[in-house]
Amino acid sequence: STINVLVVEDEEAILTLIQFTLEQAGFNVTGCTSVEAAKPHLLEKLPDVVLLDWMLPGTSGIQLTKQLRQDQRTKDLPIILLTARSDDVDKEMGLNLGADDYLTKPFDKAELLARLQAVVRRSKGHSNSIIRTGDVEVNLDTQTVTVGTKTLHLTGKEYGIMELLSLRKGSTLNKDQFLNHLYQANSFLHLPMKS
Ligand code: CA
């Protein structure tokens, strides 16, 4: 079924680019330039995932994340924060406040899609979290890779490579895309699952 994404980003050029990229990939996208404009959409119907800019005029992305986590109806809503900052302290703060993942601008289109798919799969539970390619199974929840009946012993980065290849199965990926996935994702994709 179609995945509904709510994007909140005040820079119109970036919003348009994200919207175009996601629509091309088959997502159903609602774009807003402020939290105030996004609120009616959130009340009407919850999206599958929210892509939320950190710095917004009016209510910030961080403030909205806090509000959504405090509300029973939206406490488990998947949120990916977008930011121009690359500071690790900020990343930690965003994740501590309850964001599921984090993307630093400028980000690569393939990385955006891979991260969205990973967050949506995780939020939908186990049935969608295993990607099979021949004998190889990548489990996005337990972050393990099995070949046949054998579980591989992988480092975090080795797992990250397998994860990206599985999420983007059928695509040609370049070196930068691997680096983006491994070093942007790093600490986030390997966080323990929310129960
Ligand atoms: Ca902004």
Side-chain angles (χ1 to χ4, degrees):
S1 62
T2 312
I3 292 168
N4 296 301
V5 187
L6 177 65
V7 185
V8 190
E9 165 63 76
D10 61 313
E11 285 163 77
E12 303 229 11
I14 298 177
L15 179 61
T16 304
L17 182 69
I18 292 175
Q19 207 155 356
F20 179 77
T21 303
L22 297 184
E23 279 168 1
Q24 291 285 99
F27 293 89
N28 184 22
V29 187
T30 304
C32 299
T33 53
S34 70
V35 167
E36 289 69 22
K39 285 252 167 103
H41 294 285
L42 284 166
L43 286 173
E44 189 187 318
K45 184 178 182 290
L46 287 184
D48 294 297
V49 56
V50 182
L51 272 181
L52 183 59
D53 189 25
W54 176 299
M55 296 294 283
L56 292 163
T59 309
S60 74
I62 284 293
Q63 286 170 316
L64 179 63
T65 302
K66 266 178 155 170
Q67 289 170 13
L68 292 173
R69 288 299 173 252
Q70 282 163 6
D71 184 335
Q72 192 62 25
R73 180 173 168 263
T74 53
K75 69 179 174 51
D76 295 322
L77 182 64
I79 300 170
I80 299 178
L81 279 175
L82 306 176
T83 181
R85 308 176 185 199
S86 54
D87 194 315
D88 279 340
V89 175
D90 290 337
K91 289 179 187 175
E92 239 168 69
M93 186 174 138
L95 292 166
N96 286 341
L97 286 170
D100 295 84
D101 207 345
Y102 199 103
L103 268 171
T104 305
K105 290 186 258 187
F107 44 79
D108 170 88
K109 284 181 191 178
E111 186 58 25
L112 171 65
L113 294 174
R115 302 289 277 284
L116 260 183
Q117 279 156 353
V119 166
V120 170
R121 277 171 199 272
R122 288 200 304 241
S123 80
K124 291 195 187 296
H126 283 265
S127 58
N128 277 331
S129 62
I130 295 176
I131 307 174
R132 288 189 187 81
T133 312
D135 280 351
V136 180
E137 279 186 9
V138 175
N139 187 319
L140 302 172
D141 279 343
T142 58
Q143 291 165 356
T144 52
V145 178
T146 56
V147 180
T149 54
K150 190 171 183 290
T151 300
L152 304 185
H153 297 282
L154 301 177
T155 65
K157 296 238 175 348
E158 288 167 343
Y159 170 77
I161 291 169
M162 291 302 292
E163 183 180 71
L164 181 62
L165 288 171
S166 301
L167 286 168
R168 303 287 299 155
K169 193 157 63 176
S171 313
T172 304
L173 298 166
N174 63 31
K175 188 177 88 180
D176 285 345
Q177 289 168 328
F178 281 101
L179 292 178
N180 284 340
H181 190 73
L182 292 176
Y183 293 96
Q184 277 231 358
N186 217 338
S187 47
F188 318 113
L189 286 174
H190 305 288
L191 287 176
M193 294 300 104
K194 288 189 296 184
S195 55

